[in-house]
Amino acid sequence: MTETLEFDPGQIEALVKHLSSPPADRVWKRFDIEGGVAFASLSHRDPAIGHLDLLAVQPQARGRGLGKQLVRQAEEWLRGQGAREARFAGNPPCYAWPGIDVRYTAAACLAERLGYERYHTAWNMTADLSLPFADEEVPGVTLHSGADERVLAFVHDTWNRFWAWEAEHAAGLHYAMRDGEVVAFAAWGARPEWFGPMGTSPRAEGLGLGGVLLRRCLAEQRAAGQAQAQIGWVGPLRFYSRAVGARAERVFWLYRRELG
């Protein structure tokens, strides 16, 4: 399956492993046909919504209707689980992509042919890791790295349990403390090779901690052998553009349809 994802070379095995190790309470299933694989799951927020988390068909097996078969199998299973809607959209916190990368045009065409409607657009930014990332300090703040229960509790209580799961399962986790309290964090590798999530407490905004922790993560990703990093499911374009010269590059269409 190594050649299955032409725009994500060498990632299929890592993504399959990633999707096979979701949060313990996720309801999910893998579907296999010779030459293809798909994953489906129920939404953590609304179990009436089902997600098609991954659909991949080997190049030599395309044109035989395998993608359609896999989607129909996934839809049938989702119906059996009580889902009333199916989506080609990421199911946080454990997902492959926000939606269908527009460059995988055949997948978008398949979704539309099967009655899915496009309802949202998401995007990633790309950070060039060849840029220098100098060591930085912030007055009155100490910077740390590594897993820490205080950080996970901070992420859970300030944002949500989905970000806390990603922080716990990240390859790299950096955080800032002030007066004995965690006030900001950034993670990478929760989704293979991608940066995120990250966040700063409202009481520490304006100190530049987001940019500092971002650059610490990217430096670590470079040390791990990456040439670039995907900043996934981006909201603030301007922040990442200014902080590390990231550029908006990958666009994803999110699709959905009712399950009759």
Side-chain angles (χ1 to χ4, degrees), residues 171-196:
L173 180 63
H174 294 259
Y175 59 99
M177 298 191 69
R178 185 175 65 176
D179 299 328
E181 294 185 350
V182 180
V183 292
F185 85 102
W188 70 272
R191 191 276 191 198
E193 298 190 3
W194 286 18
F195 170 83

Side-chain angles (χ1 to χ4, degrees), residues 79-97:
R79 287 191 193 92
Q81 300 300 314
R84 297 191 297 273
E85 179 179 292
R87 296 183 178 183
F88 281 95
N91 184 11
C94 184
Y95 62 94
W97 297 282

Side-chain angles (χ1 to χ4, degrees), residues 10-31:
Q11 287 200 26
I12 184 64
E13 292 182 1
L15 288 177
V16 166
K17 181 179 179 181
H18 177 59
L19 293 174
S20 298
S21 304
D25 60 347
R26 173 168 290 189
V27 179
W28 67 280
K29 186 175 178 63
R30 172 176 172 167
F31 304 87

